[in-house]
Amino acid sequence: MAANDPESDSENFLKQFCIPNYILVPDSEREFLPEPTCPILVFINSKSGGQLGGDLLVTYRSLLNKNQVVDLLEEAPDTVLHRLYLNLEKLKLNGDELSPKIQERLRIIVAGGDGTAGWLLGVVSDLKLSPPPPIATVPLGTGNNLPFSFGWGKKNPGTDRRAVESFLRQVKEAKEMKIDSWHILMRMRAPAHGSCDPIAPLELPHSLHAFNRVASTDTLNMEGCHTFRGGFWNYFSMGMDAQVSYAFHSERKSNPEKFKNQLSNQSTYAKLGCTQGWFCASLRHPSSRNISQLAKVKIMKKHGDHEWLDLPISQSIRSIVCLNLPSFSGGLNPWGTPNTKKKHDRGLTPPFVDDGLIEVVGFRDAWHGLVLFAPNGHGTRLAQAHRIRFEFHKGGADHTFMRIDGEPWKQPLPVDDDTVVVEISHHRQVTMLATHDCRSKSVHDPSSPTNNDSDGDSSEEDAAGEEWRKFGAADTFKIPDEVEVDISHLS
């Protein structure tokens, strides 16, 4: 065979990523294969992207060891990672020389929508793997904000051999970047009549749904209250934008045959934006559902603050986005880059992904959102905060809409004189893989436009209880045996 044979070159290239079977399958026969310089573990939601997820699964399994390519509809990521790392430790104790190198070099690829990617990030965060494997995301969803933020694109990728090899080459050359995660707690008093559970047909997002309610022994529990907890990586939003997203996901769940590709999905999303009144909110959207009428908003501006400050919200604001990454609604940046005057007068900084701060942005309607398409366009910058709290009281609306990383739900609001509380706080960090020209910026990167004196969140985490520190996506969160986690609704 000729030295420059393309097929031979391809086979040699793929050997850099292949993990021997005895590493992946405990007690299997030892193999003597070339040492991989960039071993990868691939997780694919085979239902994402219409047929694309299934096609991608077939291609990856044909190019790599099929046991290092996992269909998330067949096996949960925490089960796979727990088994792998236990086996690595066992092999190291038995003197295996390859296993510590695999553990040190391991990288993860997750292919799916933002919900799938967030689930994987949460699992890695919970399991506290050492060292934590960095994660690359393949865009198979509709919005694809996570992949876009780190340079992996927002269009659904090709699924043939050439496209997969090209992506693997990018993964091998990618840089590592830390990203903040955000803890969300939602608490409400059990109503005398009716339910406080999300209204069908959609349930809570996976990161909230997986562990159901906080355990009765948890210190965060309050007698007579239902408490939900989870986390997110990109954004939490509520109001009109979440209402449109809810209509889209409800329609897709009722008529999945109509949602076969990214282009038709985005077209349907735009049409629903019109029918739901997002483009004519002043005519179709009751003022009782404007944010200032629904909730009081409070913030703690930075790490170490202990006093809640009221955040004034204009009566015209119909949607609030709490944003961690510089990508929302398919790649838009609602925060933009504040100018020198804004930095001086209000202390606002560019949106770093690892500074322990979340950007809080408001929108009046979809027309207001169109400013994001203009150069330097941005929404109404409300605040940057280390913690934010929404207090919903009895008012003109019996429900509102909320959304976490692309997954919406319809949340009942108090009918008595009780309060629904949603509190968001900085959690910890996980390591992402990013291309060298990605739009996400690190506060520690000298090439970033501004620096920040954030000192992280370690002391707060150390002082918190073990249950608080868990993200909620892994089995380590003590999911009850009788709770069956349904991931089929993930985008």
Side-chain angles (χ1 to χ4, degrees):
M1 185 176 289
N4 62 348
D5 180 56
E7 186 174 338
S8 175
D9 291 343
S10 175
E11 291 301 323
N12 288 330
F13 171 73
L14 291 171
K15 288 176 183 177
Q16 301 176 75
F17 305 94
C18 285
I19 301 177
N21 210 49
Y22 82 96
I23 297 285
L24 299 161
V25 182
D27 302 319
S28 58
E29 187 176 347
R30 177 76 164 85
E31 303 160 275
F32 294 94
L33 298 174
E35 180 181 307
T37 56
C38 184
I40 61 168
L41 199 57
V42 185
F43 293 93
I44 299 175
N45 184 343
S46 58
K47 281 194 174 181
S48 287
Q51 186 62 35
L52 293 179
D55 291 345
L56 204 58
L57 185 73
V58 171
T59 303
Y60 269 101
R61 284 181 171 173
S62 70
L63 298 179
L64 305 171
N65 181 343
K66 65 178 183 180
N67 287 318
Q68 72 186 100
V69 183
V70 179
D71 184 351
L72 287 169
L73 297 185
E74 296 176 354
E75 197 166 17
D78 46 315
T79 303
V80 175
L81 289 167
H82 189 259
R83 180 176 63 235
L84 172 63
Y85 276 76
L86 278 180
N87 194 41
L88 286 170
E89 292 300 325
K90 178 182 175 182
L91 290 169
K92 286 194 294 183
L93 288 174
N94 290 334
D96 181 76
E97 295 182 358
L98 181 58
S99 53
K101 296 177 182 177
I102 296 286
Q103 189 167 344
E104 183 69 28
R105 301 170 184 171
L106 184 66
R107 296 188 163 197
I108 287 177
I109 294 174
V110 55
D114 282 336
T116 303
W119 180 30
L120 214 299
L121 267 62
V123 166
V124 171
S125 175
D126 271 0
L127 293 181
K128 298 181 180 177
L129 305 173
S130 180
I135 302 165
T137 53
V138 181
L140 285 185
T142 302
N144 297 320
N145 292 295
L146 263 167
F148 186 61
S149 296
F150 294 95
W152 304 109
K154 58 182 176 180
K155 293 183 179 179
N156 296 157
T159 60
D160 60 4
R161 180 182 181 124
R162 179 177 295 181
V164 168
E165 288 188 2
S166 175
F167 191 85
L168 289 176
R169 189 169 284 104
Q170 285 183 287
V171 168
K172 186 174 184 295
E173 297 171 355
K175 65 179 180 179
E176 296 186 12
M177 179 179 286
K178 295 289 186 182
I179 172 181
D180 292 324
S181 68
W182 294 86
H183 181 278
I184 180 167
L185 179 142
M186 182 166 64
R187 178 183 288 132
M188 62 213 73
R189 187 166 297 281
H193 305 286
S195 172
C196 59
D197 288 354
I199 300 170
L202 301 184
E203 299 173 317
L204 284 172
H206 182 270
S207 59
L208 280 167
H209 174 67
F211 55 83
N212 205 1
R213 294 182 174 86
V214 171
S216 59
T217 56
D218 196 299
T219 54
L220 290 176
N221 234 331
M222 289 180 59
E223 186 175 354
C225 290
H226 291 315
T227 305
F228 299 85
R229 182 161 84 240
F232 64 94
W233 305 92
N234 189 8
Y235 66 87
F236 165 85
S237 71
M238 73 169 195
M240 198 68 198
D241 82 289
Q243 179 176 334
V244 175
S245 178
Y246 181 85
F248 171 82
H249 283 263
S250 298
E251 179 70 17
R252 184 167 66 175
K253 186 168 186 177
S254 302
N255 302 286
E257 70 282 354
K258 296 180 180 179
F259 298 82
K260 292 298 184 183
N261 62 70
Q262 190 180 41
L263 186 61
S264 64
N265 290 359
Q266 291 172 340
S267 175
T268 301
Y269 206 104
K271 292 176 183 175
L272 287 170
C274 296
T275 60
Q276 293 293 313
W278 190 212
F279 279 93
C280 51
S282 59
L283 302 175
R284 300 277 298 278
H285 187 74
S287 60
S288 60
R289 291 190 188 173
N290 291 359
I291 302 301
S292 62
Q293 300 296 315
L294 288 174
K296 289 183 178 179
V297 185
K298 301 182 178 185
I299 61 170
M300 290 186 188
K301 286 191 173 182
K302 57 188 177 182
H303 172 66
D305 287 353
H306 300 288
E307 185 175 343
W308 290 105
L309 303 174
D310 289 331
L311 180 64
I313 305 295
S314 167
Q315 293 187 1
S316 64
I317 297 295
R318 294 179 171 87
S319 183
I320 279 186
V321 181
C322 301
L323 188 68
N324 187 41
L325 303 180
S327 180
F328 175 74
S329 193
L332 303 176
N333 182 5
W335 187 255
T337 304
N339 59 32
T340 304
K341 187 175 187 299
K342 287 284 196 308
K343 295 176 194 175
H344 181 268
D345 294 347
R346 298 181 58 193
L348 302 180
T349 73
F352 299 112
V353 299
D354 58 353
D355 60 356
L357 299 176
I358 198 163
E359 282 70 44
V360 187
V361 186
F363 291 98
R364 298 186 297 274
D365 50 33
W367 296 113
H368 184 196
L370 291 179
V371 304
L372 301 180
F373 290 98
N376 302 318
H378 59 85
T380 300
R381 298 186 184 109
L382 300 173
Q384 282 176 308
H386 189 68
R387 303 181 77 166
I388 183 167
R389 178 184 177 99
F390 299 91
E391 297 178 354
F392 299 88
H393 300 278
K394 179 181 178 181
D398 57 4
H399 66 269
T400 190
F401 296 87
M402 301 181 184
R403 182 162 62 143
I404 289 178
D405 287 354
E407 296 185 271
W409 75 98
K410 187 177 180 179
Q411 181 59 47
L413 294 179
V415 294
D416 304 315
D417 292 329
D418 294 319
T419 302
V420 173
V421 173
V422 174
E423 186 175 317
I424 295 167
S425 55
H426 187 256
H427 185 49
R428 65 161 75 97
Q429 295 181 331
V430 75
T431 307
M432 298 293 294
L433 285 171
T435 62
H436 290 272
D437 59 349
C438 74
R439 62 164 41 196
S440 291
K441 300 298 181 184
S442 168
V443 70
H444 304 293
D445 184 351
S447 65
S448 295
T450 304
N451 215 322
N452 189 305
D453 296 328
S454 171
D455 56 0
D457 202 28
S458 55
S459 60
E460 185 172 310
E461 180 178 321
D462 292 341
E466 176 63 21
E467 290 299 303
W468 176 274
R469 294 202 296 266
K470 291 174 181 173
F471 190 85
D475 189 53
T476 52
F477 205 90
K478 302 176 184 176
I479 301 173
D481 293 337
E482 68 273 15
V483 176
E484 183 175 337
V485 179
D486 176 16
I487 68 165
S488 62
H489 68 286
L490 288 176
S491 60

